[in-house]
Amino acid sequence: MTNSPGIPDSNPESTGTDAPGAETFQTLAEPRSANRLELTGGVWHQISPKYVRVQLISNGSFLVLVIAATLVLTLLMHQWWAWIPGGILTVILVWILAILPRQARSIGYQLRQDDLVFRRGILWQRFVAVPYGRMQLIDITHGPLDRGFGIAQLKFVTAAAATGVVIPGLEQSMAETLRDHLVEVAESRRTGL
């Protein structure tokens, strides 16, 4: 497999950086259990730490809204039952905000000879291998916050809905370069089917 400029190769001797000057996490967070899922060989490429900032802003804003709504309902409208759902949502959102940085460091992808392997999760690990020849659609999406921080998410769609993969938090330029590279490789693999 030939590589385009800025595209990481599947060579184990590769440095592991996505592109010159690309800002990504440097270590992949792994579960501590001896029974964890492992994929040896190859280089894992990670997402940008900007993804954590975007998620913190997004989830933090929602947390502020939940707290404000709870306070308005209880203090101004005397609806004391609002403490129960408001408290439950607040605890859940605080927990999400607390584990978000480690969760983001567990997201990675690996370009191999015949497929792209995506992994995420610490408690609930997920490994998905998407064969290049089976990719039907490669889509880049970014919302207003993503654009403001210069990141995007790359989505792969195959005929099987269960193998759809979304890689969040890629630098915008890397997402575009990776998309172009994957389209090129997928086209060459489909012609051989």
Side-chain angles (χ1 to χ4, degrees):
M1 179 170 77
T2 61
N3 292 326
S4 300
I7 294 293
D9 63 12
S10 55
N11 184 357
E13 288 95 33
S14 176
T15 62
T17 57
D18 288 336
E23 179 186 342
T24 62
F25 288 112
Q26 297 302 311
T27 58
L28 190 65
E30 298 260 3
R32 295 185 182 115
S33 170
N35 298 325
R36 69 179 182 260
L37 295 173
E38 277 191 82
L39 186 64
T40 56
V43 176
W44 286 104
H45 305 282
Q46 294 186 267
I47 63 173
S48 172
K50 295 175 187 176
Y51 172 74
V52 174
R53 290 182 222 137
V54 167
Q55 292 301 310
L56 287 173
I57 291 169
S58 174
N59 289 322
S61 300
F62 186 60
L63 176 62
V64 168
L65 286 174
V66 167
I67 292 171
T70 302
L71 290 174
V72 166
L73 282 171
T74 56
L75 299 178
L76 297 179
M77 301 178 84
H78 306 293
Q79 301 294 321
W80 304 111
W81 57 267
W83 284 114
I84 296 170
I88 291 171
L89 276 174
T90 299
V91 168
I92 290 170
L93 288 169
V94 167
W95 176 252
I96 288 171
L97 291 172
I99 65 170
L100 190 61
R102 183 170 164 93
Q103 188 179 44
R105 285 193 315 270
S106 74
I107 299 172
Y109 66 94
Q110 189 178 107
L111 296 171
R112 299 192 306 180
Q113 187 66 29
D114 296 318
D115 57 11
L116 178 139
V117 178
F118 173 75
R119 71 158 298 214
R120 78 177 310 148
I122 295 178
L123 273 173
W124 288 274
Q125 283 186 284
R126 180 178 186 210
F127 279 80
V128 179
V130 182
Y132 295 128
R134 300 290 182 213
M135 290 182 188
Q136 293 181 339
L137 172 73
I138 302 169
D139 183 26
I140 294 178
T141 307
H142 46 86
L145 270 177
D146 294 336
R147 282 192 302 274
F149 282 87
I151 61 172
Q153 62 182 6
L154 199 62
K155 180 180 181 182
F156 312 104
V157 178
T158 65
T163 59
V165 171
V166 177
I167 302 176
L170 292 174
E171 293 283 340
Q172 180 72 36
S173 60
M174 184 59 199
E176 292 170 0
T177 306
L178 186 57
R179 177 201 57 204
D180 295 343
H181 174 71
L182 291 173
V183 166
E184 178 185 323
V185 173
E187 283 298 320
S188 70
R189 297 300 164 98
R190 272 196 292 266
T191 59
L193 293 177

